[in-house]
Amino acid sequence: MTNQDTTRTYRIAALPGDGIGHEVLPAATRVLDALGTKHGLDFRWEHQEWGCEYYRRTGSMMPEDALSILAPTDAILLGAVGAPGVPDHVSLWGMLIPIRREFDQYVNLRPARLLPRVPSPLVPERVAGLDLVVVRENVEGEYSRIGGRLYGGTEHEIAVQESVFTRRGVSRVMDYAFDLAARRRGSLASATKSNGIVYTMPFWDEVFADRAAAHPDVTTSQYHIDALAALFALDPTRFDVVVASNLFGDILTDLAAAVAGSIGVAPSANINPERRFPSMFEPVHGSAPDIAGEGIANPVGQLWSSVLMLTHLEETEASEDLMSAIEQVLDDGVMTPDIGGTASTEDVTTAVIERLGAR
Ligand code: NAI
Ligand code: MG
């Protein structure tokens, strides 16, 4: 439906970050403005130039009151952070991780599916019909700040890193995955490693069995992460929804993105399902310093992340419209070099806007 008589307004924080974030984020805001005109959505962009340049000037990735600036927005659209010369743990822990944790974005949602003409490195028979979603736990697990180092530089040097798994944290991310599976093809696989990791992973499995009992409509399976990784390459189409801890989900989703064809098209959503805080939408890729400034960054990962944002805002029609415009443009062969084309970021952006207007 077009030209609706009520306009819905959204305050969206637009954070390009670094590198190609400055190319793909503006592409997405232009496309979303065009989509908004068509569907009666008014995006009020709140641009923030935070990231590594800001860090070089001020010594921090974002201002002290950044979270209170973001809190009243309806969603956060982020490009990518990271730049040569700034250690990656500084940029990650200075911006992305505080936003994910303080806003309790405990679900990291990463769909992987084949887009038209985007070549998978796997043989076509093996990936035909690939359509899976990884639900990664996003605020606890293996990525904790509990631990320490002792006896630095000596031959007795020790490094200890604790994992944190809580019943509340594991249950809620699994419940989200069960609900999602029930709305899709009804199957949920759990990534575990309870043969090698003897406390946290058997606990993970127990909570999975407990939550499965509360969701009898969903068929479940579980795999050790090593075998699961092999299956992602050998037989990825058997999966519908996969739930994984923070570390396992991180690794699996890069693998899923590679199997689906390119890191440049993969989207992600950091979601606070209770909507107490804004959720954050960002492509899976990083700031790609090797191609930054050349105008050839693939905007599809950022655009698909915008689709996830629209779904979260419950703008289903606009979300479906944008996804099919992206797919048509790829099907027309308008593609950036990373997926085998010759188009620029600008070409793809303009083509998507034209496609939206043509329907
Ligand atoms: P990367 O994803 O930035 O780049 C990996 C390779 O993929 C590069 O060859 C790059 O040119 C290509 N690539 C990535 N996105 C592309 C796109 N949209 N279009 C065309 N080609 C694309 O990963 P890398 O090189 O490991 O990291 C670069 C920086 O990004 C580092 O500082 C890293 O910490 C940061 N990073 C940030 C992330 C985030 O903001 N969530 C995620 C991953 C990395
Ligand atoms: Mg990763």
Side-chain angles (χ1 to χ4, degrees):
M1 204 192 342
T2 55
N3 302 323
Q4 297 167 347
D5 22 277
T6 53
T7 297
R8 286 162 324 278
T9 300
Y10 294 105
R11 285 177 72 176
I12 312 287
L15 277 46
D18 302 300
I20 62 167
H22 288 282
E23 299 164 50
V24 295
L25 185 97
T29 57
R30 276 171 58 202
V31 167
L32 285 164
D33 282 336
L35 183 79
T37 306
K38 182 172 170 186
H39 289 271
L41 313 176
D42 180 10
F43 296 106
R44 304 276 165 85
W45 302 107
E46 301 186 10
H47 296 275
Q48 306 294 350
E49 291 296 329
W50 302 337
C52 292
E53 270 315 306
Y54 189 91
Y55 174 81
R56 287 199 185 93
R57 280 203 316 275
T58 66
S60 46
M61 292 289 292
M62 50 186 196
E64 234 164 71
D65 58 348
L67 294 169
S68 51
I69 294 172
L70 297 175
T73 63
D74 295 300
I76 303 163
L77 193 60
L78 177 104
V81 295
V86 177
D88 285 342
H89 69 271
V90 169
S91 48
L92 193 66
W93 282 89
M95 193 161 158
L96 290 188
I97 294 195
I99 296 174
R100 288 175 181 165
R101 297 204 172 191
E102 295 302 318
F103 288 164
D104 207 19
Q105 296 167 347
Y106 62 84
V107 171
N108 188 288
L109 196 68
R110 294 186 172 187
R113 103 179 132 77
L114 293 187
L115 297 181
R117 293 207 200 197
V118 177
S120 166
L122 301 186
V123 291
E125 312 78 81
R126 212 158 254 182
V127 279
L130 171 73
D131 180 6
L132 64 82
V133 181
V134 177
V135 175
R136 165 189 172 192
E137 203 293 320
N138 210 26
V139 297
E140 55 173 49
E142 302 88 346
Y143 295 170
S144 79
R145 272 189 143 166
I146 304 172
R149 292 176 64 164
L150 270 180
Y151 313 126
T154 74
E155 64 183 47
H156 301 291
E157 184 161 10
I158 306 173
V160 176
Q161 168 92 46
E162 298 290 349
S163 292
V164 177
F165 287 79
T166 65
R167 184 170 287 278
R168 171 176 172 268
V170 175
S171 301
R172 65 183 186 173
V173 75
M174 286 180 174
D175 282 338
Y176 185 93
F178 273 105
D179 289 341
L180 180 63
R183 282 183 272 119
R184 287 173 47 99
R185 303 193 301 277
S187 127
L188 178 63
S190 163
T192 182
K193 190 61 192 170
S194 44
N195 55 351
I197 300 178
V198 299
Y199 295 113
T200 55
M201 281 295 138
F203 172 68
W204 173 274
D205 293 351
E206 280 166 36
V207 177
F208 188 64
D210 176 63
R211 300 326 300 154
H215 298 85
D217 47 333
V218 173
T219 311
T220 59
S221 54
Q222 65 184 49
Y223 301 86
H224 291 307
I225 185 65
D226 39 0
L228 184 57
L231 281 174
F232 263 45
L234 294 172
D235 187 17
T237 61
R238 78 160 71 185
F239 297 106
D240 177 12
V241 181
V242 179
V243 65
S245 65
N246 209 333
L247 172 65
F248 292 172
D250 190 6
I251 300 169
L252 271 183
T253 49
D254 268 37
L255 181 53
V259 163
S262 165
I263 190 94
V265 303
S268 86
N270 301 275
I271 297 177
N272 173 246
E274 291 77 23
R275 297 168 191 268
R276 284 180 52 226
F277 302 100
S279 294
M280 177 166 66
F281 302 84
E282 50 167 337
V284 170
H285 66 73
S287 55
D290 54 335
I291 58 161
E294 292 179 27
I296 54 163
N298 194 337
V300 170
Q302 185 85 67
L303 293 175
W304 192 353
S305 303
S306 310
V307 169
L308 300 180
M309 180 178 86
L310 292 164
T311 307
H312 180 73
L313 296 173
E314 298 178 337
E315 293 294 349
T316 314
E317 258 175 49
S319 155
E320 287 169 359
D321 194 15
L322 177 54
M323 194 67 215
S324 73
I326 296 167
E327 290 178 331
Q328 283 170 3
V329 164
L330 293 171
D331 209 20
D332 292 340
V334 186
M335 306 170 129
T336 45
D338 56 306
I339 48 177
T342 56
S344 64
T345 312
E346 175 65 32
D347 296 335
V348 178
T349 308
T350 313
V352 173
I353 292 172
E354 277 168 10
R355 269 290 177 188
L356 287 170
R359 278 170 312 176

